[in-house]
């Protein structure tokens, strides 16, 4: 009996991004596999030690991953698509990384990477399990048991964590057959999971954690039945290990009865996203089921209000006597240690908690429950103080922002004329050819550019020299775009570290960090800005760079902005007001920038909303509310311009069929989308009456270093012509080119421009 503190998963990347460095060094051939594995092993040891030191009783193993925890399960199951030429046996690192990143082969042959998509509603991306209807599975890695053993040798009795079989299959795709449900493969997957559990038992494991965030989704009866089958089978087959089932990211809701009926030993609840489900659970739960209460936010950086949490926890503890306290979900989504942020504004710093601080908070709660609040009085008082200072801080509230928001009229979210009339005015002004060519915004962020920015940040490269350097990069990029024959140019975004962070660093109401990296996918990390207060724009953010770039060319230079919904979804957002309210504030700030760009002479302004679809709530019944305010925020941003000013937007990683009405309601003049990997199938949503405006369906996948041929892009454009009217079609890549290298970009864009020329000839014939 008592309270234990559990960590459900810890960031893998290392305090100093050691994992990124080791991976990229290994991939580039600068170091051996052994060096990578040794770094990985050190990271695990440091993570276990640190979680213990900060007060966790239960620490996970197998939460570490060299690339992605979903890919780890595919490897464990031996689910390797044929194209990777895997011969069976153990899934080796070469095969594993080929699935993750593609393999170059020679002269642009090789295998493409698996499809990547966002993990639930986070900014983490996983590799979609790529299965066949006749897929077989065989235990093909020893990772789970190896890492358990490794921890044990260091003196840590861990609770291994695995992505559960049902969520794994819910996230999978059956190759070539969208109709077959991957859940049909459950019975073939379970024996492998069983084998892993048996091995863990043999090594001495007493508990295992099964992550099943799929339980927070809309499920049909077949999926609910799959949960019952899976856990009945596993608990019957391996009765000596206890299962902690950990759904998270939302309420169990209509899946609650299913979850409660599973023959597991423990159930975790995300009480940050769905505090209201607690009463229901307490009323229904069988007494012997161990509850793990996810009371500290694993998705955000705010310090918990410990006294308030205790008010809720004390009666539950008295009633049940036995509890686990945990973060709401894995700590993968938050930075590691606030202590590294020595330059942070101290007033704001005291409102924050990163991964290790969150574990310490849970420790305090556990001690207070077991020994009484007095035992941790100082810590509770500090928490009370921080909570009350945050509530009353004048830094958070800006009367001018609120007054302005209150005065917003519906007209401000409407362009003057409908699209058809705007198009005529824009065409008269811009005089673009049929099938105009453009790119999405960024050009390669070369090591040289990163180094210059880092040197500037360290104070070693004076501002003037840094600016001169960036101007030179920009000017080279503009000259090259003219030479290669693009129609609508971009400045290249060389001055930006990241499309969200760059704006966060210039807006009021935001703070940004130095070291607070969070994994986005593989070795790519982001430093999400922290929105702590009312948002406004103290000064123009992009106008000077636009003006400089436009001064170099007669062709239209696109103004390039990140939209309010994307800034919101890729930042740590304040939790003291609705997200919609914060989004509208950002919308007004970016609207100012749009208007300043127009005043400076920009004829085209692109407002990226890469994360608009990504931010869709997990439950369908919440979609409408979200889309209403998200679309409204975009419109508020974009509508303050004259009809002849062409508003572009860009979205990637999206399927549009189910939200096409909302996409159309954004009322952009041009949208560029990712379509290459789906072979233009995504365009099916954009049929004429559903979508009247112009569209740039991406004609090549920028995630791969492969240079696309003219022919394949022509073929894609022909497929686009079957679905759209000629006058609607733009020609562009799937997304920005910042992660590519110039030797890949130059021939690819040359081919793309050539493909557009051929298409114009076809259309004229
Ligand atoms: N926020 C966000 N989310 C997104 C995307 C996105 O672009 N932004 N795209 C989608 C895919 N996700 C992605 C996430 C990150 C990156 C990415 O390229 N990240 C970079 C870091 C970007 C960055 O902030 N760079 C900074 C810092 C660079 C850096 O590490 N500098 C070194 C020094 C470098 C040197 O001296 O050479 C250092 O500080 O130690 C800069 O350019 O200034 C990386 O991990 O490498 C790409 C895609 C979805 N989500
Ligand atoms: Zn994109």
């Amino acid at each position: 009996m008592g309270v234990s503190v559990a960590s459900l998963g810890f960031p893998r990347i290392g305090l100093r991004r050691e994992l990124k460095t080791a991976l990229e060094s290994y991939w580039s051939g600068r170091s051996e596999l052994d060096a990578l594995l040794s770094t990985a092993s050190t990271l695990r040891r440091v993570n276990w030690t640190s979680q213990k030191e900060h007060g966790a009783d239960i620490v996970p193993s197998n939460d570490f991953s060299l690339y992605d925890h979903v890919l780890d399960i595919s490897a464990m199951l031996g689910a390797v698509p044929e194209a990777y030429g895997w011969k069976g046996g153990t899934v080796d690192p070469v095969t594993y990384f080929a699935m993750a990143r593609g393999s170059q082969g020679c002269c642009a042959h090789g295998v493409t990477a698996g499809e990547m998509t966002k993990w639930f509603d986070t900014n983490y991306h996983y590799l979609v399990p790529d299965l066949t209807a006749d897929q077989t599975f065989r235990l093909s890695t020893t990772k789970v048991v190896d890492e358990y053993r490794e921890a044990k040798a260091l003196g840590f009795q861990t609770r291994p964590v695995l992505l559960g079989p049902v969520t794994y299959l819910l996230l999978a795709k059956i190759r070539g057959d969208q109709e077959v449900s991957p859940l049909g493969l459950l019975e073939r997957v379970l024996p492998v999971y069983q084998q892993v559990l048996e091995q863990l038992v043999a090594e001495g494991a007493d508990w295992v954690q099964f992550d099943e965030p799929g339980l927070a989704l809309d499920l049909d009866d077949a999926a609910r039945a799959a949960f019952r089958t899976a856990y009945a089978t596993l608990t019957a087959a391996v009765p000596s290990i206890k299962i902690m089932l950990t759904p998270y990211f939302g309420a169990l809701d209509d899946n609650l009865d299913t979850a409660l009926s599973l023959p597991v030993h423990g159930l975790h609840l995300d009480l940050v996203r769905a505090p209201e489900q607690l009463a229901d659970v307490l009323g229904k739960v069988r007494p012997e089921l161990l509850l793990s209460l996810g009371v500290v936010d694993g998705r955000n950086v705010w310090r918990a209000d410990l006294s308030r949490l205790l008010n809720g926890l004390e009666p539950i503890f008295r009633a049940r006597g036995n509890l686990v306290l945990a973060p709401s979900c894995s700590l993968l989504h938050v930075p590691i240690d606030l202590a590294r942020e020595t330059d942070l504004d101290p007033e704001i710093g005291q409102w924050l908690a990163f991964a290790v601080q969150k574990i310490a908070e849970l420790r305090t709660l556990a001690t207070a429950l077991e020994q009484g609040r007095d035992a941790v009085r100082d810590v509770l008082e500090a928490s009370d103080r921080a909570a009350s200072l945050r509530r009353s801080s004048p830094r958070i509230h800006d009367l001018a922002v609120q007054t302005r928001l209150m005065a917003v009229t519906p007209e401000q979210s409407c362009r003057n004329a409908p699209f058809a009339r705007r198009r005529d005015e824009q065409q008269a002004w811009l005089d673009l050819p049929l099938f105009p060519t453009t790119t999405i915004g960024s050009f390669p962020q070369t090591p040289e550019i990163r180094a210059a920015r880092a040197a500037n940040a360290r104070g070693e490269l004076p501002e003037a020299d840094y600016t001169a350097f960036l101007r030179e990069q920009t000017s080279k990029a503009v000259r090259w775009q003219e030479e290669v024959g693009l129609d609508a140019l971009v400045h290249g975004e060389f001055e930006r570290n990241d499309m969200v962070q760059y704006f966060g660093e210039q807006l009021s109401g935001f703070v940004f960090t130095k070291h607070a990296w969070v994994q986005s996918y593989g070795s790519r990390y982001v430093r999400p800005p922290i929105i702590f207060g009312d948002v406004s724009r103290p000064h123009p953010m992009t106008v000077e760079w636009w003006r400089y770039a436009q001064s170099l060319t007669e062709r239209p230079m696109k103004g390039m902005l990140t939209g309010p919904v994307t800034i919101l979804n890729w930042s740590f957002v304040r939790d003291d007001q609705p997200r919609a309210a914060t989004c509208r504030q950002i919308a007004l700030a970016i609207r100012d920038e749009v208007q300043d760009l127009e005043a400076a002479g920009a004829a085209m302004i692109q407002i990226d909303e890469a994360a608009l679809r990504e931010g869709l709530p997990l439950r369908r019944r919440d979609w409408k509310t979200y889309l209403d305010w998200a679309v409204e925020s975009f419109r508020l941003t974009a509508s303050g311009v004259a009809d002849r000013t062409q508003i572009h937007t860009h979205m990637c990683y999206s399927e549009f069929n189910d939200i096409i009405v909302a996409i159309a309601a954004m009322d952009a003049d041009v949208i560029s989308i990712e379509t290459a990997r789906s072979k233009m199938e995504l365009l099916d949503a954009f049929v004429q009456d559903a979508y009247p405006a112009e569209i740039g369906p991406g004609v090549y996948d920028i995630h791969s270093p492969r240079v696309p041929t003219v022919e394949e892009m022509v073929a894609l454009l022909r497929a686009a012509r079957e679905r759209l009217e000629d006058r609607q079609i733009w020609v562009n890549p799937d997304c920005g080119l910042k992660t590519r290298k110039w030797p890949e970009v130059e021939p690819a864009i040359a081919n793309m421009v050539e493909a557009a020329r051929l298409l114009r000839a076809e259309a004229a014939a």
Side-chain angles (χ1 to χ4, degrees):
M1 296 309 248
V3 188
S4 354
V5 169
S7 162
L8 307 184
F10 199 73
R12 311 143 179 164
I13 62 182
L15 264 180
R16 292 177 175 71
R17 288 181 293 161
E18 290 88 343
L19 186 58
K20 176 188 181 71
T21 313
L23 280 168
E24 292 179 352
S25 163
Y26 165 68
W27 290 335
S28 70
R30 275 176 282 131
S31 60
E32 298 297 316
L33 179 64
D34 279 354
L36 170 62
L37 298 183
S38 146
T39 300
S41 168
T42 305
L43 283 170
R44 289 190 290 266
R45 176 168 48 75
V46 168
N47 288 352
W48 287 318
T49 309
S50 160
Q51 291 173 86
K52 277 281 178 192
E53 279 175 4
H54 284 86
D57 302 301
I58 302 167
V59 295
S61 57
N62 197 48
D63 56 333
F64 183 83
S65 178
L66 284 174
Y67 200 92
D68 166 40
H69 56 272
V70 182
L71 180 63
D72 289 343
I73 299 286
S74 294
M76 176 185 97
L77 297 168
V80 181
E82 232 172 57
Y84 297 97
W86 179 58
K87 302 280 186 305
T90 303
V91 174
D92 54 295
V94 173
T95 306
Y96 178 86
F97 287 126
M99 288 165 76
R101 317 175 54 235
S103 75
Q104 250 63 323
C106 64
C107 21
H109 293 298
V111 202
T112 54
E115 181 187 345
M116 207 170 53
T117 196
K118 84 200 156 72
W119 171 246
F120 295 84
D121 55 359
T122 72
N123 193 7
Y124 176 85
H125 300 72
Y126 67 92
L127 281 142
V128 180
D130 177 2
L131 311 177
T132 58
D134 61 355
Q135 184 79 46
T136 55
F137 302 96
R138 214 169 41 77
L139 180 56
S140 304
T141 59
T142 52
K143 178 177 186 292
V144 186
V145 74
D146 287 349
E147 289 180 16
Y148 175 78
R149 223 187 266 145
E150 180 186 45
K152 198 159 185 186
L154 294 167
F156 302 105
Q157 168 68 324
T158 55
R159 185 173 75 184
V161 45
L162 287 104
L163 176 59
V166 184
T167 299
Y168 173 79
L169 290 174
L170 286 171
L171 300 180
K173 278 196 181 155
I174 301 285
R175 180 174 280 247
D177 201 340
Q178 311 283 330
E179 302 305 310
V180 183
S181 162
L183 286 177
L185 299 170
L186 182 65
E187 278 175 27
R188 292 188 221 162
V189 161
L190 289 177
V192 183
Y193 273 91
Q194 178 183 331
Q195 238 179 312
V196 172
L197 291 184
E198 283 161 353
Q199 290 183 349
L200 286 173
V201 169
E203 295 293 331
D206 48 357
W207 278 89
V208 65
Q209 172 187 328
F210 273 99
D211 282 352
E212 291 280 13
L215 277 166
L217 301 175
D218 291 320
L219 299 177
D220 57 16
D221 289 342
R224 291 199 192 101
F227 276 105
R228 286 192 292 272
T229 307
Y231 288 93
T233 308
L234 292 175
T235 45
V238 196
S240 49
I241 197 158
K242 295 188 179 125
I243 293 179
M244 173 58 76
L245 187 75
T246 45
Y248 43 71
F249 296 151
L252 289 165
D253 212 3
D254 52 351
N255 302 321
L256 175 62
D257 291 341
T258 305
L260 287 173
S261 76
L262 301 177
V264 292
H265 299 79
L267 177 66
H268 174 80
L269 302 169
D270 183 337
L271 295 177
V272 174
R273 275 294 175 85
E276 70 288 350
Q277 64 181 339
L278 182 62
D280 223 11
V281 173
L282 291 175
K284 289 177 167 177
V285 61
R286 56 184 190 273
E288 70 280 10
L289 186 71
L290 180 61
L291 287 183
S292 162
L293 305 183
V295 288
V296 162
D297 197 344
R299 288 281 297 273
N300 213 333
V301 291
W302 303 108
R303 184 171 178 171
D305 182 347
L306 296 177
S307 299
R308 188 183 59 80
L309 288 175
L310 278 173
N311 295 341
L313 288 169
E314 279 160 348
I316 305 173
F317 177 60
R318 279 196 296 273
R320 296 189 63 88
N322 216 0
L323 277 185
V324 179
L325 298 183
S328 57
C329 60
S330 163
L331 295 167
L332 183 64
H333 311 288
V334 290
I336 299 175
D337 190 353
L338 184 63
R340 283 212 74 202
E341 293 302 325
T342 44
D343 293 344
L344 206 63
D345 178 324
E347 180 179 4
I348 291 157
Q350 67 177 336
W351 303 337
L352 304 177
F354 294 175
V356 296
Q357 283 77 32
K358 287 171 187 290
I359 292 175
E361 290 180 332
L362 292 164
R363 179 79 262 152
T364 303
L365 292 172
T367 308
L369 289 179
E370 290 192 314
Q371 300 171 26
R373 294 194 192 202
D374 267 355
V376 285
R377 192 187 317 140
D378 292 352
V379 190
L380 290 182
E381 278 172 11
S383 164
D384 292 347
R385 212 161 36 241
S388 117
L389 284 171
R390 186 173 161 214
R391 267 191 301 272
S392 61
S393 169
R395 300 280 300 279
I396 291 182
H397 305 284
D398 181 340
L399 197 61
V401 172
Q402 288 163 17
T403 313
R404 187 173 172 206
L405 258 174
M406 230 112 75
V408 168
T409 61
E411 294 74 57
Q412 284 178 290
S413 303
C414 284
R415 300 289 294 271
N416 299 323
F419 169 72
R421 286 232 315 273
R422 301 199 303 264
R423 182 186 57 210
D424 293 342
E425 279 199 43
Q426 290 164 18
Q427 192 49 30
W429 188 22
L430 294 165
D431 193 27
L432 292 163
L434 194 61
F435 309 124
T437 54
T438 191
T439 61
I440 305 304
S442 58
F443 285 130
Q445 283 275 331
T446 58
E448 197 191 1
I449 293 171
R450 294 250 158 105
R453 184 157 39 250
N456 174 249
R458 283 195 303 269
E460 290 162 16
L461 180 65
E463 206 55 38
D465 296 357
Y466 178 54
T467 306
F469 167 79
L470 291 173
R471 282 184 164 226
E472 192 189 315
Q473 299 290 315
T474 308
S475 127
K476 271 199 232 162
V478 172
R479 228 175 306 133
W480 169 73
Q481 291 175 84
E482 287 193 326
E483 277 161 25
V484 79
L486 285 159
D487 299 308
L489 309 196
V490 299
H491 75 287
E493 303 182 27
F494 301 109
E495 77 288 7
R496 303 187 186 178
N497 40 22
D498 174 79
M499 61 186 283
V500 167
Q501 197 188 345
Y502 181 73
F503 291 94
E505 287 176 3
Q506 301 188 69
L507 291 166
S508 304
F510 282 70
V511 282
F512 53 96
T513 59
K514 278 231 162 83
H515 309 284
W517 293 95
V518 177
Q519 187 177 24
S520 180
Y521 68 88
S523 70
R524 294 285 174 180
Y525 308 160
V526 293
R527 262 177 307 186
I530 298 168
I531 309 176
F532 69 88
D534 291 340
V535 176
S536 60
R537 188 201 66 149
H539 49 75
M541 303 180 284
T542 66
V543 176
E544 276 318 304
W545 282 111
W546 176 84
R547 206 193 299 274
Y548 172 67
Q550 182 68 84
S551 76
L552 302 169
T553 180
E554 295 293 314
R555 299 188 199 178
M557 175 62 58
K558 291 195 276 188
M560 191 59 61
L561 303 172
T562 304
V565 187
T566 299
I567 293 180
L568 182 88
N569 282 336
W570 287 349
S571 297
F572 289 117
V573 179
R574 57 195 284 192
D575 56 359
D576 60 346
Q577 71 176 18
R579 293 172 74 83
T582 305
C583 197
R584 280 165 65 80
Q585 295 182 355
I586 306 172
L588 281 181
I590 307 293
R591 177 186 172 95
D592 292 344
E593 190 74 13
V594 170
Q595 290 179 322
D596 283 349
L597 281 168
E598 184 188 54
M604 296 177 177
I605 300 168
Q606 179 174 316
I607 306 166
D608 292 325
E609 283 293 19
L612 187 131
R613 154 102 213 183
E614 291 203 342
L616 267 188
L618 297 178
R619 297 284 194 157
R620 216 170 239 275
R621 57 146 195 267
D622 302 324
W623 282 17
K624 185 174 180 319
T625 310
Y626 166 79
L627 286 171
D628 282 352
W629 62 252
V631 169
E632 154 76 15
S633 294
F634 179 85
R635 295 175 59 121
L636 185 56
T637 306
S639 299
V641 293
D643 290 337
R644 70 167 193 175
T645 303
Q646 190 169 58
I647 295 289
H648 292 228
T649 188
H650 162 73
M651 287 184 196
C652 31
Y653 321 102
S654 286
E655 284 172 27
F656 297 96
N657 278 304
D658 44 9
I659 57 163
I660 191 68
V661 175
I663 304 292
M666 290 167 70
D667 200 24
D669 300 305
V670 184
I671 182 172
S672 60
I673 57 173
E674 173 182 323
T675 40
R677 277 188 287 188
S678 80
K679 310 257 184 297
M680 298 283 153
E681 276 166 21
L682 283 176
L683 274 184
D684 290 345
F686 290 79
V687 288
Q688 251 290 296
D689 35 344
Y691 200 84
E694 299 178 16
I695 309 165
V699 292
Y700 84 89
D701 175 13
I702 58 86
H703 296 99
S704 166
R706 215 181 130 264
V707 174
T709 63
V710 177
E711 293 70 36
E712 70 190 73
M713 289 187 276
V714 167
L716 285 175
L717 285 166
R718 287 188 186 130
R721 288 186 72 197
E722 283 166 20
R723 293 166 166 92
L724 306 170
E725 307 224 342
D726 284 355
R727 56 139 194 94
Q728 284 183 288
I729 301 176
W730 282 65
V731 179
N732 49 254
D734 264 348
C735 187
L737 296 159
K738 65 183 166 198
T739 58
R740 297 269 59 86
K741 300 185 167 70
W742 277 113
E744 298 152 4
V745 167
E746 281 167 356
I749 297 294
N751 287 353
M752 185 189 88
V753 170
E754 178 59 19
R757 275 197 204 110
L758 291 175
L759 215 71
R760 279 173 210 146
E762 274 184 29

